[in-house]
Short mmCIF file of all heavy atoms in Angstrom, two decimals:
data_model
loop_
_atom_site.label_atom_id
_atom_site.label_comp_id
_atom_site.label_asym_id
_atom_site.label_seq_id
_atom_site.Cartn_x
_atom_site.Cartn_y
_atom_site.Cartn_z
N ASP A 1 -30.82 -10.82 -69.22
CA ASP A 1 -30.07 -11.20 -68.02
C ASP A 1 -29.69 -12.68 -68.02
O ASP A 1 -28.86 -13.11 -67.21
CB ASP A 1 -30.89 -10.90 -66.75
CG ASP A 1 -30.95 -9.41 -66.46
OD1 ASP A 1 -30.08 -8.68 -66.98
OD2 ASP A 1 -31.85 -8.98 -65.71
N ASN A 2 -30.28 -13.46 -68.89
CA ASN A 2 -30.00 -14.90 -68.94
C ASN A 2 -28.88 -15.25 -69.92
O ASN A 2 -28.72 -16.41 -70.29
CB ASN A 2 -31.27 -15.67 -69.29
CG ASN A 2 -32.31 -15.60 -68.19
OD1 ASN A 2 -31.97 -15.46 -67.01
ND2 ASN A 2 -33.57 -15.66 -68.56
N TYR A 3 -28.12 -14.23 -70.33
CA TYR A 3 -27.00 -14.45 -71.25
C TYR A 3 -25.70 -13.99 -70.59
O TYR A 3 -25.68 -12.96 -69.92
CB TYR A 3 -27.21 -13.69 -72.56
CG TYR A 3 -28.30 -14.27 -73.43
CD1 TYR A 3 -29.63 -13.97 -73.18
CD2 TYR A 3 -27.99 -15.11 -74.49
CE1 TYR A 3 -30.65 -14.50 -73.97
CE2 TYR A 3 -29.00 -15.65 -75.30
CZ TYR A 3 -30.32 -15.34 -75.02
OH TYR A 3 -31.32 -15.87 -75.81
N ARG A 4 -24.63 -14.75 -70.79
CA ARG A 4 -23.32 -14.36 -70.29
C ARG A 4 -22.55 -13.72 -71.45
O ARG A 4 -22.34 -14.37 -72.48
CB ARG A 4 -22.55 -15.57 -69.75
CG ARG A 4 -21.10 -15.22 -69.36
CD ARG A 4 -20.38 -16.39 -68.72
NE ARG A 4 -20.87 -16.58 -67.36
CZ ARG A 4 -21.46 -17.68 -66.92
NH1 ARG A 4 -21.65 -18.68 -67.74
NH2 ARG A 4 -21.87 -17.79 -65.68
N PRO A 5 -22.09 -12.47 -71.27
CA PRO A 5 -21.34 -11.82 -72.36
C PRO A 5 -19.88 -12.25 -72.36
O PRO A 5 -19.13 -11.96 -71.44
CB PRO A 5 -21.46 -10.33 -72.01
CG PRO A 5 -21.64 -10.30 -70.52
CD PRO A 5 -22.32 -11.58 -70.13
N ILE A 6 -19.47 -12.97 -73.40
CA ILE A 6 -18.08 -13.41 -73.52
C ILE A 6 -17.37 -12.48 -74.50
O ILE A 6 -17.80 -12.33 -75.65
CB ILE A 6 -18.00 -14.86 -74.03
CG1 ILE A 6 -18.74 -15.79 -73.07
CG2 ILE A 6 -16.55 -15.30 -74.18
CD1 ILE A 6 -18.22 -15.81 -71.65
N SER A 7 -16.28 -11.88 -74.04
CA SER A 7 -15.54 -10.92 -74.85
C SER A 7 -14.46 -11.63 -75.65
O SER A 7 -13.61 -12.31 -75.09
CB SER A 7 -14.91 -9.85 -73.96
OG SER A 7 -15.91 -9.16 -73.26
N LEU A 8 -14.51 -11.46 -76.96
CA LEU A 8 -13.48 -12.01 -77.84
C LEU A 8 -12.49 -10.89 -78.13
O LEU A 8 -12.84 -9.85 -78.69
CB LEU A 8 -14.11 -12.53 -79.13
CG LEU A 8 -15.20 -13.60 -78.93
CD1 LEU A 8 -15.80 -14.00 -80.26
CD2 LEU A 8 -14.64 -14.80 -78.19
N LEU A 9 -11.24 -11.11 -77.73
CA LEU A 9 -10.21 -10.09 -77.84
C LEU A 9 -9.07 -10.56 -78.73
O LEU A 9 -8.96 -11.75 -79.05
CB LEU A 9 -9.67 -9.75 -76.45
CG LEU A 9 -10.72 -9.22 -75.46
CD1 LEU A 9 -10.23 -9.38 -74.04
CD2 LEU A 9 -11.01 -7.77 -75.76
N SER A 10 -8.22 -9.64 -79.07
CA SER A 10 -7.05 -9.94 -79.88
C SER A 10 -6.16 -10.95 -79.16
O SER A 10 -5.92 -10.84 -77.96
CB SER A 10 -6.27 -8.65 -80.15
OG SER A 10 -4.95 -8.94 -80.55
N SER A 11 -5.66 -11.94 -79.89
CA SER A 11 -4.74 -12.92 -79.31
C SER A 11 -3.45 -12.26 -78.85
O SER A 11 -2.85 -12.67 -77.84
CB SER A 11 -4.42 -14.02 -80.34
OG SER A 11 -5.59 -14.72 -80.68
N ILE A 12 -3.03 -11.22 -79.56
CA ILE A 12 -1.82 -10.49 -79.17
C ILE A 12 -2.04 -9.80 -77.83
O ILE A 12 -1.15 -9.77 -76.97
CB ILE A 12 -1.42 -9.49 -80.27
CG1 ILE A 12 -0.96 -10.26 -81.51
CG2 ILE A 12 -0.34 -8.54 -79.79
CD1 ILE A 12 -0.69 -9.42 -82.72
N SER A 13 -3.24 -9.27 -77.65
CA SER A 13 -3.60 -8.66 -76.36
C SER A 13 -3.46 -9.68 -75.24
O SER A 13 -2.95 -9.38 -74.16
CB SER A 13 -5.02 -8.12 -76.42
OG SER A 13 -5.47 -7.74 -75.14
N LYS A 14 -3.91 -10.89 -75.48
CA LYS A 14 -3.88 -11.92 -74.45
C LYS A 14 -2.45 -12.33 -74.10
O LYS A 14 -2.16 -12.66 -72.95
CB LYS A 14 -4.70 -13.13 -74.89
CG LYS A 14 -6.19 -12.84 -74.94
CD LYS A 14 -7.00 -14.07 -75.17
CE LYS A 14 -8.49 -13.75 -75.09
NZ LYS A 14 -9.34 -14.94 -75.15
N VAL A 15 -1.55 -12.29 -75.08
CA VAL A 15 -0.14 -12.60 -74.80
C VAL A 15 0.44 -11.56 -73.85
O VAL A 15 1.09 -11.90 -72.85
CB VAL A 15 0.69 -12.67 -76.11
CG1 VAL A 15 2.17 -12.85 -75.81
CG2 VAL A 15 0.19 -13.80 -77.00
N LEU A 16 0.19 -10.28 -74.15
CA LEU A 16 0.68 -9.20 -73.29
C LEU A 16 0.04 -9.29 -71.90
O LEU A 16 0.71 -9.13 -70.88
CB LEU A 16 0.38 -7.84 -73.93
CG LEU A 16 0.74 -6.59 -73.12
CD1 LEU A 16 2.20 -6.62 -72.67
CD2 LEU A 16 0.46 -5.33 -73.94
N GLU A 17 -1.25 -9.57 -71.85
CA GLU A 17 -1.95 -9.69 -70.57
C GLU A 17 -1.38 -10.84 -69.74
O GLU A 17 -1.27 -10.73 -68.51
CB GLU A 17 -3.44 -9.91 -70.79
CG GLU A 17 -4.18 -8.68 -71.30
CD GLU A 17 -5.64 -8.97 -71.56
OE1 GLU A 17 -6.27 -9.64 -70.71
OE2 GLU A 17 -6.16 -8.55 -72.60
N LYS A 18 -1.01 -11.93 -70.39
CA LYS A 18 -0.46 -13.08 -69.65
C LYS A 18 0.87 -12.72 -69.01
O LYS A 18 1.16 -13.13 -67.88
CB LYS A 18 -0.31 -14.29 -70.57
CG LYS A 18 0.13 -15.53 -69.82
CD LYS A 18 -0.03 -16.80 -70.62
CE LYS A 18 0.37 -18.00 -69.77
NZ LYS A 18 0.18 -19.27 -70.46
N ILE A 19 1.68 -11.95 -69.71
CA ILE A 19 2.96 -11.49 -69.16
C ILE A 19 2.71 -10.68 -67.90
O ILE A 19 3.35 -10.89 -66.85
CB ILE A 19 3.74 -10.65 -70.20
CG1 ILE A 19 4.18 -11.52 -71.37
CG2 ILE A 19 4.94 -9.96 -69.56
CD1 ILE A 19 4.70 -10.76 -72.56
N VAL A 20 1.76 -9.75 -67.98
CA VAL A 20 1.43 -8.89 -66.84
C VAL A 20 0.82 -9.71 -65.71
O VAL A 20 1.13 -9.50 -64.53
CB VAL A 20 0.48 -7.75 -67.28
CG1 VAL A 20 0.01 -6.95 -66.07
CG2 VAL A 20 1.16 -6.84 -68.28
N ALA A 21 -0.04 -10.67 -66.05
CA ALA A 21 -0.67 -11.51 -65.03
C ALA A 21 0.37 -12.30 -64.24
O ALA A 21 0.29 -12.40 -63.01
CB ALA A 21 -1.68 -12.47 -65.68
N GLU A 22 1.38 -12.84 -64.93
CA GLU A 22 2.44 -13.58 -64.25
C GLU A 22 3.20 -12.69 -63.28
O GLU A 22 3.50 -13.08 -62.15
CB GLU A 22 3.38 -14.21 -65.28
CG GLU A 22 2.75 -15.35 -66.05
CD GLU A 22 3.62 -15.88 -67.17
OE1 GLU A 22 4.63 -15.21 -67.52
OE2 GLU A 22 3.32 -16.95 -67.70
N LYS A 23 3.50 -11.47 -63.73
CA LYS A 23 4.23 -10.52 -62.87
C LYS A 23 3.38 -10.13 -61.66
O LYS A 23 3.88 -10.05 -60.53
CB LYS A 23 4.59 -9.26 -63.67
CG LYS A 23 5.47 -9.49 -64.87
CD LYS A 23 6.91 -9.64 -64.48
CE LYS A 23 7.81 -9.70 -65.71
NZ LYS A 23 9.21 -9.90 -65.34
N LEU A 24 2.09 -9.88 -61.90
CA LEU A 24 1.20 -9.46 -60.82
C LEU A 24 1.05 -10.56 -59.76
O LEU A 24 1.18 -10.30 -58.57
CB LEU A 24 -0.17 -9.07 -61.38
CG LEU A 24 -1.23 -8.66 -60.35
CD1 LEU A 24 -0.78 -7.45 -59.56
CD2 LEU A 24 -2.57 -8.40 -61.03
N ILE A 25 0.80 -11.78 -60.20
CA ILE A 25 0.62 -12.88 -59.26
C ILE A 25 1.92 -13.15 -58.50
O ILE A 25 1.90 -13.41 -57.30
CB ILE A 25 0.12 -14.14 -59.99
CG1 ILE A 25 -1.30 -13.92 -60.50
CG2 ILE A 25 0.14 -15.35 -59.06
CD1 ILE A 25 -1.87 -15.04 -61.31
N SER A 26 3.04 -13.06 -59.19
CA SER A 26 4.33 -13.22 -58.51
C SER A 26 4.50 -12.17 -57.42
O SER A 26 4.93 -12.48 -56.31
CB SER A 26 5.48 -13.09 -59.52
OG SER A 26 5.48 -14.17 -60.41
N HIS A 27 4.15 -10.93 -57.73
CA HIS A 27 4.25 -9.83 -56.75
C HIS A 27 3.37 -10.11 -55.54
O HIS A 27 3.79 -9.94 -54.39
CB HIS A 27 3.85 -8.51 -57.42
CG HIS A 27 3.63 -7.39 -56.46
ND1 HIS A 27 4.67 -6.72 -55.85
CD2 HIS A 27 2.48 -6.83 -55.99
CE1 HIS A 27 4.18 -5.79 -55.05
NE2 HIS A 27 2.85 -5.83 -55.11
N LEU A 28 2.14 -10.58 -55.79
CA LEU A 28 1.20 -10.83 -54.70
C LEU A 28 1.67 -11.97 -53.80
O LEU A 28 1.60 -11.88 -52.57
CB LEU A 28 -0.19 -11.14 -55.26
CG LEU A 28 -0.88 -10.01 -56.04
CD1 LEU A 28 -2.20 -10.49 -56.62
CD2 LEU A 28 -1.10 -8.79 -55.15
N PHE A 29 2.18 -13.05 -54.40
CA PHE A 29 2.66 -14.18 -53.61
C PHE A 29 3.98 -13.85 -52.90
O PHE A 29 4.17 -14.18 -51.73
CB PHE A 29 2.86 -15.41 -54.50
CG PHE A 29 1.60 -16.20 -54.74
CD1 PHE A 29 1.14 -16.41 -56.03
CD2 PHE A 29 0.89 -16.72 -53.68
CE1 PHE A 29 -0.02 -17.14 -56.25
CE2 PHE A 29 -0.27 -17.46 -53.89
CZ PHE A 29 -0.73 -17.66 -55.18
N GLU A 30 4.87 -13.20 -53.64
CA GLU A 30 6.19 -12.89 -53.10
C GLU A 30 6.11 -11.99 -51.87
O GLU A 30 6.90 -12.13 -50.93
CB GLU A 30 7.01 -12.19 -54.20
CG GLU A 30 8.50 -12.16 -53.96
CD GLU A 30 9.20 -11.56 -55.16
OE1 GLU A 30 9.21 -10.32 -55.27
OE2 GLU A 30 9.71 -12.32 -55.99
N ASN A 31 5.14 -11.08 -51.87
CA ASN A 31 5.01 -10.14 -50.76
C ASN A 31 3.91 -10.51 -49.78
O ASN A 31 3.52 -9.70 -48.94
CB ASN A 31 4.77 -8.73 -51.33
CG ASN A 31 5.97 -8.22 -52.11
OD1 ASN A 31 6.97 -7.83 -51.53
ND2 ASN A 31 5.89 -8.26 -53.42
N ASP A 32 3.39 -11.73 -49.91
CA ASP A 32 2.39 -12.27 -48.99
C ASP A 32 1.21 -11.30 -48.83
O ASP A 32 0.79 -10.96 -47.73
CB ASP A 32 3.04 -12.53 -47.63
CG ASP A 32 2.19 -13.45 -46.76
OD1 ASP A 32 1.38 -14.23 -47.33
OD2 ASP A 32 2.29 -13.37 -45.52
N LEU A 33 0.65 -10.88 -49.98
CA LEU A 33 -0.42 -9.88 -49.97
C LEU A 33 -1.81 -10.49 -50.11
O LEU A 33 -2.80 -9.77 -50.03
CB LEU A 33 -0.20 -8.88 -51.12
CG LEU A 33 1.06 -8.01 -50.98
CD1 LEU A 33 1.31 -7.24 -52.27
CD2 LEU A 33 0.93 -7.06 -49.81
N LEU A 34 -1.88 -11.80 -50.31
CA LEU A 34 -3.18 -12.44 -50.49
C LEU A 34 -3.67 -13.03 -49.17
O LEU A 34 -2.89 -13.53 -48.36
CB LEU A 34 -3.08 -13.54 -51.54
CG LEU A 34 -2.81 -13.07 -52.96
CD1 LEU A 34 -2.52 -14.26 -53.86
CD2 LEU A 34 -3.98 -12.28 -53.50
N TYR A 35 -4.97 -12.94 -48.96
CA TYR A 35 -5.61 -13.54 -47.80
C TYR A 35 -5.34 -15.03 -47.81
O TYR A 35 -5.44 -15.68 -48.84
CB TYR A 35 -7.11 -13.24 -47.86
CG TYR A 35 -7.93 -13.78 -46.72
CD1 TYR A 35 -7.58 -13.55 -45.40
CD2 TYR A 35 -9.07 -14.53 -46.97
CE1 TYR A 35 -8.34 -14.04 -44.35
CE2 TYR A 35 -9.85 -15.04 -45.93
CZ TYR A 35 -9.47 -14.79 -44.63
OH TYR A 35 -10.22 -15.29 -43.59
N SER A 36 -4.97 -15.57 -46.67
CA SER A 36 -4.55 -16.98 -46.61
C SER A 36 -5.65 -17.94 -47.04
O SER A 36 -5.37 -19.05 -47.50
CB SER A 36 -4.08 -17.33 -45.20
OG SER A 36 -5.11 -17.08 -44.25
N PHE A 37 -6.92 -17.53 -46.91
CA PHE A 37 -8.04 -18.40 -47.28
C PHE A 37 -8.63 -18.02 -48.64
O PHE A 37 -9.77 -18.35 -48.93
CB PHE A 37 -9.12 -18.38 -46.21
CG PHE A 37 -8.65 -18.90 -44.88
CD1 PHE A 37 -8.85 -18.18 -43.72
CD2 PHE A 37 -8.01 -20.12 -44.80
CE1 PHE A 37 -8.40 -18.67 -42.49
CE2 PHE A 37 -7.57 -20.63 -43.58
CZ PHE A 37 -7.77 -19.89 -42.42
N GLN A 38 -7.85 -17.32 -49.47
CA GLN A 38 -8.29 -16.99 -50.82
C GLN A 38 -7.96 -18.19 -51.71
O GLN A 38 -6.80 -18.45 -52.02
CB GLN A 38 -7.58 -15.74 -51.35
CG GLN A 38 -7.78 -15.47 -52.83
CD GLN A 38 -9.21 -15.08 -53.16
OE1 GLN A 38 -9.86 -14.38 -52.41
NE2 GLN A 38 -9.69 -15.54 -54.29
N TYR A 39 -8.99 -18.94 -52.09
CA TYR A 39 -8.77 -20.15 -52.87
C TYR A 39 -9.19 -20.00 -54.33
O TYR A 39 -8.62 -20.61 -55.21
CB TYR A 39 -9.53 -21.33 -52.25
CG TYR A 39 -9.05 -21.70 -50.87
CD1 TYR A 39 -9.85 -21.53 -49.76
CD2 TYR A 39 -7.78 -22.22 -50.69
CE1 TYR A 39 -9.41 -21.87 -48.49
CE2 TYR A 39 -7.32 -22.57 -49.43
CZ TYR A 39 -8.15 -22.40 -48.32
OH TYR A 39 -7.71 -22.73 -47.07
N GLY A 40 -10.22 -19.20 -54.57
CA GLY A 40 -10.72 -19.06 -55.93
C GLY A 40 -9.85 -18.14 -56.77
O GLY A 40 -9.20 -17.23 -56.26
N PHE A 41 -9.81 -18.40 -58.08
CA PHE A 41 -9.17 -17.52 -59.06
C PHE A 41 -7.65 -17.43 -58.91
O PHE A 41 -7.06 -16.43 -59.27
CB PHE A 41 -9.78 -16.11 -59.02
CG PHE A 41 -11.27 -16.11 -59.06
CD1 PHE A 41 -12.00 -15.40 -58.12
CD2 PHE A 41 -11.95 -16.81 -60.03
CE1 PHE A 41 -13.39 -15.39 -58.16
CE2 PHE A 41 -13.33 -16.82 -60.07
CZ PHE A 41 -14.05 -16.10 -59.13
N LEU A 42 -7.03 -18.45 -58.33
CA LEU A 42 -5.58 -18.44 -58.18
C LEU A 42 -4.98 -19.72 -58.74
O LEU A 42 -5.62 -20.78 -58.70
CB LEU A 42 -5.18 -18.29 -56.71
CG LEU A 42 -5.43 -16.92 -56.08
CD1 LEU A 42 -5.08 -16.96 -54.60
CD2 LEU A 42 -4.64 -15.83 -56.78
N PRO A 43 -3.74 -19.65 -59.26
CA PRO A 43 -3.11 -20.86 -59.80
C PRO A 43 -2.93 -21.92 -58.72
O PRO A 43 -2.60 -21.61 -57.57
CB PRO A 43 -1.74 -20.36 -60.29
CG PRO A 43 -1.85 -18.88 -60.35
CD PRO A 43 -2.89 -18.48 -59.37
N LYS A 44 -3.16 -23.17 -59.09
CA LYS A 44 -2.96 -24.32 -58.23
C LYS A 44 -3.83 -24.29 -56.97
O LYS A 44 -3.53 -24.93 -55.98
CB LYS A 44 -1.48 -24.44 -57.84
CG LYS A 44 -0.58 -24.63 -59.07
CD LYS A 44 0.87 -24.70 -58.71
CE LYS A 44 1.71 -24.83 -59.98
NZ LYS A 44 3.14 -24.79 -59.71
#
C-alpha cells in the first residue's frame, strides 16, 4: 500500500488521448457542465 503504481503506456496512445482530452474539456467548458468551484485537475 506504500507504493504508487505508475502506468507506462505507448507514446502513440498518449497522443490520441491528448486529442480526446482537448475535445472533452472543450465540450465541458463550452456547455458550462463543470461545477463553478471545481479547481483541481483542470487547465489553468
Side-chain angles (χ1 to χ4, degrees):
D1 287 340
N2 292 331
Y3 289 81
R4 174 175 286 119
I6 302 300
S7 300
L8 303 178
L9 300 160
S10 162
S11 297
I12 292 173
S13 170
K14 291 188 175 187
V15 174
L16 176 54
E17 288 178 44
K18 185 166 183 178
I19 293 169
V20 173
E22 290 174 347
K23 300 280 187 182
L24 177 61
I25 293 176
S26 293
H27 168 75
L28 296 176
F29 276 122
E30 197 175 80
N31 295 285
D32 197 25
L33 295 170
L34 293 171
Y35 180 51
S36 58
F37 298 129
Q38 170 68 38
Y39 296 113
F41 310 129
L42 288 176
K44 299 178 182 175

